[in-house]
């Protein structure tokens, strides 16, 4: 299914503004109206405009989970503004693996399909919910969370708002098994053996 939701412009604008207003700022305050990159000589309307989501309109759906970001890296005008967004596309059966955002909470709004979501607090309590279109769910700042489209046929689509121009993403599987931590340490930590650790690492490693 193509990304037809973006055609409903006024509806989407209202939803985005709602997320923006409820996202808690997590970046330092600035003492000017906005921050200009040092390599930029002309500041005009284009500086405050982001067109990176246009590629999603009428595009073929992805075959694996895909996130398209509008953070400070993609949209420099967000620097100092304590807000960013992401469009998340979930094909049938796909998962956004457990991860954290160290600098912001995440406020997710489901626009299409259904999603199973959850996070774990610092007391190791799991909070889960099955979201339907129009539902919102907040993932508290810094806590491990995930999203899963368990539907066997239909894709899901969501928008997430962040109270930081650079919320950061720390993937739990990638951080643990794809950063060079010694296999002996991993095997002891997960009470398993080296062969199992190697099998997990091979599954996480980027495909050549």
């Amino acid at each position: 299914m193509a990304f037809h939701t973006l055609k409903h412009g006024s509806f989407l604008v209202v939803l985005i503004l709602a997320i923006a207003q409820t996202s808690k700022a997590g970046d330092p305050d600035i003492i000017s109206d906005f921050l200009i990159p040092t390599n930029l000589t002309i500041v005009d309307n284009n500086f405050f405009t982001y067109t990176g989501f246009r590629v999603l309109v009428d595009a073929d759906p992805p075959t694996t989970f895909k996130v398209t970001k509008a953070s400070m890296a993609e949209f420099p005008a967000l620097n100092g503004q304590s807000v960013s967004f992401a469009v998340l596309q979930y094909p049938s059966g796909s998962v956004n693996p457990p991860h954290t955002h160290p600098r912001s909470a995440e406020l997710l709004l489901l626009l299409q399909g259904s999603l199973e979501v959850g996070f774990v607090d610092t007391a190791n309590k799991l909070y889960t919910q099955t979201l339907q279109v129009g539902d919102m769910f907040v993932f508290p700042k810094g806590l491990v969370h995930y999203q899963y489209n368990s539907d066997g046929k239909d894709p899901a689509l969501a928008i997430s708002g962040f109270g930081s121009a650079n919320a950061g993403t720390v993937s739990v599987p990638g951080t643990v098994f794809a950063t060079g931590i010694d296999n002996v340490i991993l095997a002891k930590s997960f009470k398993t053996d080296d062969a199992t650790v190697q099998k997990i690492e091979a599954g996480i490693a980027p495909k050549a």
Side-chain angles (χ1 to χ4, degrees), residues 25-47:
D27 296 340
D29 288 335
I30 60 175
I31 57 175
S32 58
D33 293 336
F34 46 85
L35 300 177
I36 304 172
T38 56
N39 62 345
L40 191 66
T41 57
I42 298 176
V43 175
D44 58 16
N45 298 337
N46 292 324
F47 176 65

Side-chain angles (χ1 to χ4, degrees), residues 116-136:
E116 296 181 15
V117 302
F119 72 87
V120 180
D121 69 11
T122 54
N124 284 333
K125 181 176 179 179
L126 174 64
Y127 297 84
T128 63
Q129 186 61 271
T130 299
L131 304 182
Q132 304 299 325
V133 172
D135 292 348
M136 302 180 78

Side-chain angles (χ1 to χ4, degrees), residues 92-116:
S92 174
S94 65
V95 63
N96 185 4
H99 61 281
T100 69
H101 302 295
R103 291 180 287 275
S104 175
E106 175 181 359
L107 187 58
L108 182 144
L109 171 64
L110 186 62
L111 299 181
Q112 177 186 335
S114 62
L115 277 181
E116 296 181 15

Side-chain angles (χ1 to χ4, degrees), residues 125-173:
K125 181 176 179 179
L126 174 64
Y127 297 84
T128 63
Q129 186 61 271
T130 299
L131 304 182
Q132 304 299 325
V133 172
D135 292 348
M136 302 180 78
F137 193 85
V138 62
F139 302 102
K141 178 180 178 180
L143 298 184
V144 173
H145 60 281
Y146 63 88
Q147 301 106 32
Y148 172 47
N149 178 11
S150 62
D151 191 292
K153 181 177 67 174
D154 295 326
L157 173 72
I159 290 181
S160 283
F162 302 91
S164 169
N166 183 22
T169 300
V170 180
S171 166
V172 174

